[in-house]
Amino acid sequence: MFGVVSLACIAVIFISGLFLMFFYAPSSTPVVYRGGYEPLDGATMSKAMRSTLAISFEVQGGLLMRQAHHWAALLLPAALIMQLLTSFFTGAFRRPRRLGWVLLFLLLITALVGGWSGYALPDDMLSGTGLRIVEGIVLGIPVVGTWLSTLLFGGEFPGQIIEHLYPVHVAIVPALLIGLLALRIRAGYLQKPAQFAGRGRTEDNVVGVPVLPNAAARAGGLFLIVTAVILLVSATVTISPIWLYGPSSGGNASAGSQPDWYTGFLDGALRLVPPGWEFVWLGRTWTLAILVPLAVVGVYLAAVLLYPFVEEWITGDDRDHNILDRPRNTSTRTGIGVAGIVFYGALWGAGSADLVATHFHVGVESVVAFYQAAAVLGPALAFVVTRRVCLALQKKDRQILLHGYETGRIVRLPGGEYVEIHQPVDAHERWRLANTGDGTPVLARPDERGHVGLGARARAGLSRFFFEDRLTPIPPDELSQELRQLSDDDVDESAYEASIR
Ligand code: HEM
């Protein structure tokens, strides 16, 4: 269903974007503003900013379209991230759906590039601040930085950045989005969605719902609802009021400038670096303050992209999986996921460190120190706690599987003993609780020469670690034997009724 939300955002973005193209002027040529917005009368700004102000105040429906474009661009990365998260925690990314994961990830990155390039187009003060940061990052890359910056900006800042970003925004990003989306829909259609184990959802116990008419009607309804909500929000809630920010100017940056939420984690990564992280080598200044955040974010994103392949290598499980995992049953994966969220959250929070400091009247250094600790220690702590919670939930499931649900009814037996009546689980539920995954750790095997290589040992170690903190599933015959045995021992309601009769 998050896929439908993404689709609705993309539809709104495309339709509103096409509308904006008719009126937007992708030009950094300076002009004097003589439009309908009096406070800016006589101000010098680029043609791009003037046209965006005209879209906002003079073109009929222009402001609604701008705001719809921007709100949908804010919702799209959220919907894509939710898709990635649901896929991650349920193991939906395993074979045969690994391509779907890669496509989703690429869609997210494309959406981020789209959002970032669009954010720059109005050429207001916030756009300018964002671009200035990017210029700083590019210049901080050793050896090729200056050259890259000249290439990107077409000379000294701000150069021709508007002219350069416009084709990226209205041609390359949309083409990539359409291509990736087509591949993703095709993959989804060919493989069908993975399902949770358990009861079928229709009367005749068929798993899932047919595409026509049920799934199509649901998806269509959700699509329309999401579109309607985006339009309602766009019609009533201001976003990116560039007339309040004023035109971009290289020498200024207003306090409290914030990027759109989805690029906040990149900003945060830069803000977490301790002061003075640079050294001179070979006659050049090497700014770790730029290189380290770039490397950390790069490794983080690469880890997200490659996770399905890494997990497959570690578990040695290359079978097709059409049944989803319950997150508690794969405690290591769930722990890694929560650790990843905490790390992202720490970077994201750090992106607003100055605002947190001014709102809560605390020193900005303390806020940064807090987020530094959260980025370094938080993921490890989150991993350990999550694994423990998963294990506890597995034990609870095992309890329910073997002894049924607690009913809260305490009865007294003729012999004077008090017992609580347990309601046994039905066959579907039993199946769901009993099937907790059947993976076993990969063993370190010797190669042809009889050596156990370092790679094989590392893999075996990681595999053992992956399958730790996991209750071993009870084999079906043992389970039925155990249940039979328990139903003889346990007091269920009928035994109680019989005993009092
Ligand atoms: C068919 C594809 C697209 C077209 C034709 C298009 C066109 C445009 C145009 C002409 C502008 C400048 C006008 C303005 O700033 O109000 C703009 C701004 C913007 N675009 Fe797009 N765009 C497209 C796709 C996207 C995508 C995929 C995203 C992000 C996911 C995006 C996010 C933005 C943002 C955030 C702005 C700034 C809006 C503002 O001024 O507040 N656009 N777009």
Side-chain angles (χ1 to χ4, degrees):
M1 285 293 163
F2 285 121
V4 178
V5 177
S6 308
L7 205 62
C9 292
I10 292 179
V12 172
I13 286 175
F14 270 67
I15 293 170
S16 55
L18 282 176
F19 175 95
L20 293 173
M21 276 178 85
F22 282 104
F23 307 100
Y24 175 77
S27 159
S28 44
T29 313
V31 286
V32 175
Y33 182 69
R34 295 267 175 247
Y37 186 69
E38 277 199 14
L40 284 178
D41 192 45
T44 305
M45 58 182 67
S46 64
K47 275 190 181 170
M49 167 113 183
R50 190 182 64 180
S51 65
T52 316
L53 282 173
I55 295 174
S56 309
F57 294 124
E58 282 136 46
V59 174
Q60 280 200 356
L63 186 57
L64 178 66
M65 284 298 161
R66 255 197 79 214
Q67 302 208 138
H69 196 70
H70 207 135
W71 275 117
L74 287 174
L75 186 59
L76 177 62
L80 289 169
I81 289 175
M82 289 309 291
Q83 268 180 281
L84 280 167
L85 286 178
T86 47
S87 171
F88 182 88
F89 284 112
T90 56
F93 57 76
R94 291 170 297 169
R95 280 174 200 261
R97 296 180 183 78
R98 295 188 307 171
L99 176 66
W101 172 269
V102 173
L103 291 172
L104 256 184
F105 177 84
L106 294 179
L107 269 170
L108 176 63
I109 299 296
T110 312
L112 297 190
V113 174
W116 172 75
S117 55
Y119 188 78
L121 290 182
D123 203 22
D124 60 297
M125 194 56 239
L126 261 190
S127 310
T129 310
L131 286 173
R132 203 45 154 175
I133 297 173
V134 173
E135 190 214 8
I137 296 174
V138 175
L139 283 176
I141 301 174
V143 187
V144 289
T146 329
W147 176 78
L148 272 182
S149 169
T150 314
L151 194 74
L152 181 64
F153 288 88
E156 274 288 297
F157 182 86
Q160 302 290 299
I161 189 70
I162 301 290
E163 288 81 349
H164 286 185
L165 284 186
Y166 189 64
V168 173
H169 189 78
V170 301
I172 299 177
V173 167
L176 280 175
L177 275 183
I178 292 182
L180 290 168
L181 204 64
L183 287 175
R184 166 100 189 127
I185 291 173
R186 184 171 175 274
Y189 181 77
L190 290 180
Q191 288 150 1
K192 312 284 178 289
Q195 306 277 336
F196 275 115
R199 194 186 299 275
R201 310 235 169 90
T202 46
E203 305 76 53
D204 42 356
N205 230 359
V206 175
V207 175
V209 288
V211 173
L212 284 175
N214 312 38
R218 283 186 194 181
L222 182 63
F223 182 94
L224 294 179
I225 291 171
V226 174
T227 312
V229 170
I230 295 176
L231 288 181
L232 185 69
V233 171
S234 310
T236 50
V237 189
T238 306
I239 183 80
S240 189
I242 54 161
W243 50 93
L244 298 182
Y245 308 146
S248 162
S249 123
N252 296 333
S254 27
S257 295
Q258 288 285 290
D260 274 348
W261 79 267
Y262 45 81
T263 43
F265 77 110
L266 302 171
D267 203 0
L270 292 171
R271 294 187 191 204
L272 284 184
V273 180
W277 265 25
E278 60 181 36
F279 60 92
V280 178
W281 186 50
L282 299 177
R284 291 172 194 279
T285 305
W286 299 72
T287 41
L288 294 179
I290 301 288
L291 294 177
V292 171
L294 274 185
V296 169
V297 169
V299 168
Y300 180 77
L301 291 178
V304 174
L305 171 65
L306 298 177
Y307 185 82
F309 306 93
V310 176
E311 189 188 294
E312 185 178 310
W313 179 74
I314 290 177
T315 57
D317 182 357
D318 56 2
R319 295 166 300 168
D320 277 359
H321 289 275
N322 292 310
I323 300 290
L324 297 172
D325 283 329
R326 295 177 76 213
R328 66 186 59 179
N329 291 333
T330 47
S331 39
T332 305
R333 181 198 297 147
T334 306
I336 294 173
V338 176
I341 294 175
V342 168
F343 182 70
Y344 179 91
L347 297 195
W348 190 70
S352 312
D354 54 335
L355 290 186
V356 173
T358 48
H359 272 69
F360 296 101
H361 304 290
V362 279
V364 74
E365 292 83 2
S366 330
V367 180
V368 170
F370 168 79
Y371 282 119
Q372 281 169 339
V376 177
L377 302 177
L381 194 67
F383 178 78
V384 174
V385 172
T386 307
R387 280 229 301 192
R388 300 324 288 170
V389 171
C390 285
L391 189 61
L393 289 170
Q394 286 175 38
K395 286 186 176 160
K396 181 183 143 234
D397 276 0
R398 180 62 55 90
Q399 186 76 13
I400 293 173
L401 173 67
L402 294 178
H403 301 284
Y405 288 105
E406 292 179 9
T407 59
R409 287 189 59 203
I410 313 285
V411 295
R412 188 175 173 204
L413 298 182
E417 185 190 357
Y418 285 96
V419 289
E420 182 181 4
I421 291 181
H422 282 233
Q423 164 111 39
V425 290
D426 66 19
H428 289 289
E429 187 67 0
R430 189 178 319 134
W431 201 80
R432 192 171 81 98
L433 294 176
N435 283 282
T436 53
D438 55 354
T440 41
V442 176
L443 297 178
R445 295 195 188 287
D447 57 18
E448 312 85 65
R449 288 176 301 138
H451 287 299
V452 182
L454 202 62
R457 259 184 246 178
R459 185 182 180 195
L462 287 170
S463 198
R464 249 195 333 274
F465 181 72
F466 188 88
F467 286 108
E468 257 173 23
D469 273 352
R470 182 172 182 158
L471 296 189
T472 337
I474 312 175
D477 41 341
E478 261 179 50
L479 176 66
S480 41
Q481 212 178 328
E482 213 158 319
L483 285 174
R484 215 170 307 125
Q485 168 78 26
L486 279 161
S487 63
D488 295 344
D489 296 351
D490 275 6
V491 178
D492 67 13
E493 198 143 5
S494 53
Y496 166 67
E497 302 288 341
S499 74
I500 51 172
R501 256 203 308 279

